[in-house]
Amino acid sequence: MLQLSEADRDAIRVAQDPQFPRWLEQITATGGCSHPVHLSGSTITLDGTTGEILHHYDTRSEPGERLLVRCRNRRVTVCPACSRLHAGDTFHLVRAGLLGGKNVPATVRHRPRLFVTLTAPSFGPVHRSGEPCRPRRDGGTCAHGRPVGCHAAHAPGDSAVGQPLCPDCYDYAAHVLWHAHAGKLWDRFALGVRRQLASAVGLAQSRFAEHARLSFARVAEYQKRAAVHIHAVVRLDGPAGPDDEPPVWGTAERLIDAVRASARRVLIRTPYSPAVGDLTLRWGAQVDARPLRADGDGPDDDAVAAYVAKYVTKGASETGAGTDHKVTTWDDIGTAPVSGHVRILMRTCWRLGGLPEHEPLHLRTWTHALGYRGHILTKSRAYSTTYAALRAERAHHAGHTDIPGTVTDAHWRYVGSGHTPGAALLAAGVAEDIATSRVIAREEITSGREKVIT
C-alpha cells in the first residue's frame, strides 16, 4: 500500500466503503461529472388534495449524507462529462433552428438562412501561418526597431502565430475595449440588418416587425491573435416567428446584402479617456455570409450545428486566450499559464478596469476573458428551443418529473463540491465508460442504417 500513490490509496478506501454501490449509482447518474456539487436536504411529495405523503427523500441515508449533482460546466478542460452533455444540447438547439424539431416546424429549413462570420478589426500586424508569414521586399523596421515583416513559414501550431510583430506597436487598449463592446456591436449589427432589409423594400424601419422577424444563434470564437470573432446562423421568418412564412421579398440574396451593409456601417464611439483617448470601434473588414440551402447547395446544416456545439465546450487552454477561471489580483495575471501576448491583454484589462471612466465595463471582472463580457452562445428568443427546455425534456425521459396534482416541499443547501483524489479517478473511469458506450451505440445505429440502405 505504501508504494501506491495517494490517489490509488484513496480509490481503494472509497471502493471498500459499505455504501460504495450507492455512491457509484450517484456518480453514474451525474455521467461521471469531474466536479459535482454536493447537496444536503430533503424533499417531500404530497397529494395536492388529501395531503397524503406520496414520497419522501432525505440525504441522511446517502453516502456522506449528501447528494451529488452535475456541475454543468460547459468547458471540456473543467469537466469532460458535463461538456459532452452541453455540446449535445447545443447541437440540438442550433439544429432545431435550421431543420426544425423541438417544437420548431420543419418548414424553417426552406427559409432564407445564412451562416455569417464577423471578425474583429486589426489592432496591429501579427504572425500568420503560411508561406511566408508577412513578406516585405524593402525590409524595414518599426519605430521601436523591430522588423515590420516576417519571411518565415509558420506551421499552424507554431507558438509565434497570432503574436504581434511588435508588442509596442500593437494597440492593446483598443483590443480590450473592442472586446468589452462586442456585444453592443452585435446588437447594433442585428438592428442594422433589420433596417437595411426594410429600406431595401421601401418599408418604414419602424414597421419591419409587422412584416418579418430576424432570428439568430451566435457563438463567439477566439482567433489565434486572441481576438473574438462571431459565427452566427441567421434566419428570416414571418412576423410571428418560426411558425410564420417570411414575406415574398425576403430572399437569401437580400439578406446577404443587408448583412454586409450593416457590418460596414455599424460603429461605436467610446467616451473620451485620458488613458486611451476616444475610439471608434467597428467590425473587421472580413465579413462572410453564406446561404444555407435545403437542397444541399451550401454548408451542411448538421455540420454547422456540430461546429457550433464543438466550439462552445472549448476551454481557454485550447483557444489560447485567457483562462478558464477569473483572476482576483494583479499577481494572478503573472502566474497565469498564457502567452506573453495574452498576458499583456490581461494586464491591460486590469489597468483600464481601475480607471473611473471604464468602471461600467467591469474589465477587472472579465480580465480572464480579455475583456469580452458576452456569453459564448447567444440566441434570439424565437430562433429555437432553450437549454432549460432540453434539460426538462431529458428529465422527463429519465422519469424525473413532477406528478400532476401533487405538491413538492424541498429543502436543499450547498455543502461542497468536487472529488477526493481517489473518487476523481473512479469518476473519470465512469465517464470514459459512458462515452465509449455512446460511441459503440452510435456505430451500431450507423451500421444498421447502412444495412437497410444496401
Side-chain angles (χ1 to χ4, degrees):
M1 286 288 288
L2 294 177
Q3 295 179 349
L4 297 177
S5 66
E6 179 187 356
D8 288 336
R9 290 198 299 271
D10 187 52
I12 293 173
R13 177 192 62 78
V14 172
Q16 289 178 337
D17 190 291
Q19 289 188 299
F20 175 72
R22 174 54 188 159
W23 179 86
L24 193 58
E25 287 179 4
Q26 285 200 32
I27 295 299
T28 303
T30 67
C33 175
S34 301
H35 201 75
V37 175
H38 301 195
L39 300 177
S40 175
S42 62
T43 61
I44 299 176
T45 303
L46 307 172
D47 187 295
T49 304
T50 66
E52 177 188 359
I53 297 178
L54 302 177
H55 177 71
H56 175 247
Y57 170 80
D58 197 304
T59 57
R60 283 180 293 183
S61 62
E62 297 286 2
E65 297 187 359
R66 56 187 62 191
L67 177 68
L68 307 184
V69 298
R70 286 180 177 272
C71 68
R72 292 185 178 178
N73 196 296
R74 67 171 180 83
R75 298 182 187 274
V76 69
T77 52
V78 176
C79 181
C82 291
S83 172
R84 280 192 292 270
L85 191 67
H86 188 82
D89 285 349
T90 301
F91 174 81
H92 288 294
L93 184 151
V94 175
R95 189 179 188 276
L98 290 170
L99 299 174
K102 311 296 180 184
N103 297 322
V104 178
T107 52
V108 296
R109 70 178 304 166
H110 301 291
R111 308 275 170 82
R113 304 168 305 152
L114 306 180
F115 186 56
V116 176
T117 300
L118 303 175
T119 61
S122 173
F123 305 108
V126 299
H127 290 280
R128 302 176 296 192
S129 59
E131 299 182 14
C133 172
R134 287 187 176 272
R136 287 182 66 98
R137 292 181 180 177
D138 55 350
T141 59
C142 68
H144 305 96
R146 296 186 178 91
V148 295
C150 176
H151 295 273
H154 301 297
D158 193 324
S159 60
V161 175
Q163 305 298 302
L165 270 67
C166 176
D168 294 317
C169 290
Y170 196 85
D171 196 344
Y172 283 98
H175 187 145
V176 165
L177 291 175
W178 190 91
H179 271 178
H181 290 85
K184 186 178 290 186
L185 272 171
W186 171 266
D187 291 341
R188 293 192 179 181
F189 163 76
L191 179 60
V193 172
R194 297 181 182 98
R195 290 176 173 175
Q196 292 292 332
L197 285 171
S199 298
V201 296
L203 289 175
Q205 294 177 358
S206 61
R207 301 190 62 184
F208 174 81
E210 300 174 12
H211 298 266
R213 177 185 287 233
L214 191 71
S215 297
F216 64 85
R218 68 175 177 90
V219 63
E221 179 180 4
Y222 285 87
Q223 298 171 293
K224 287 289 188 179
R225 58 183 174 134
V228 162
H229 65 179
I230 302 296
H231 296 299
V233 176
V234 178
R235 190 185 72 226
L236 191 65
D237 299 320
D243 294 312
D244 197 5
E245 290 296 325
V248 293
W249 50 259
T251 63
E253 290 71 23
R254 186 161 276 155
L255 187 56
I256 290 174
D257 292 341
V259 164
R260 295 188 180 279
S262 179
R264 287 195 304 268
R265 297 183 182 184
V266 166
L267 61 86
I268 292 176
R269 291 188 174 91
T270 64
Y272 175 77
S273 165
V276 298
D278 50 355
L279 303 177
T280 299
L281 307 175
R282 302 175 179 271
W283 293 108
Q286 295 179 335
V287 177
D288 188 28
R290 304 181 188 181
L292 296 166
R293 305 188 187 279
D295 57 9
D297 185 16
D300 180 78
D301 294 331
D302 280 349
V304 169
Y307 174 81
V308 173
K310 180 180 180 180
Y311 185 75
V312 297
T313 63
K314 287 186 177 180
S317 61
E318 293 179 289
T319 61
T323 64
D324 289 331
H325 305 285
K326 291 184 178 181
V327 297
T328 56
T329 67
W330 175 267
D331 292 337
D332 289 344
I333 300 173
T335 58
V338 297
S339 68
H341 174 54
V342 171
R343 199 180 312 279
I344 297 176
L345 284 168
M346 294 175 72
R347 285 175 172 161
T348 303
C349 265
W350 192 267
R351 189 178 68 254
L352 294 180
L355 302 177
E357 59 268 28
H358 295 309
E359 185 177 355
L361 300 177
H362 304 289
L363 290 173
R364 289 192 172 181
T365 301
W366 296 100
T367 293
H368 68 293
L370 313 184
Y372 180 72
R373 299 182 294 156
H375 293 289
I376 291 297
L377 177 74
T378 306
K379 76 173 191 69
S380 60
R381 181 175 299 178
Y383 174 76
S384 70
T385 186
T386 64
Y387 283 121
L390 290 170
R391 289 173 187 142
E393 184 179 342
R394 185 163 55 248
H396 177 76
H397 179 73
H400 303 308
T401 54
D402 293 334
I403 303 172
T406 63
V407 177
T408 300
D409 183 23
H411 300 277
W412 296 101
R413 64 187 181 91
Y414 170 83
V415 293
S417 61
H419 287 301
T420 62
L425 280 179
L426 296 172
V430 169
E432 185 177 350
D433 288 345
I434 292 174
T436 301
S437 297
R438 287 175 177 169
V439 170
I440 293 173
R442 219 166 21 239
E443 291 176 349
E444 289 179 349
I445 292 173
T446 303
S447 176
R449 287 174 180 171
E450 291 175 351
K451 288 181 181 178
V452 171
I453 293 173
T454 55

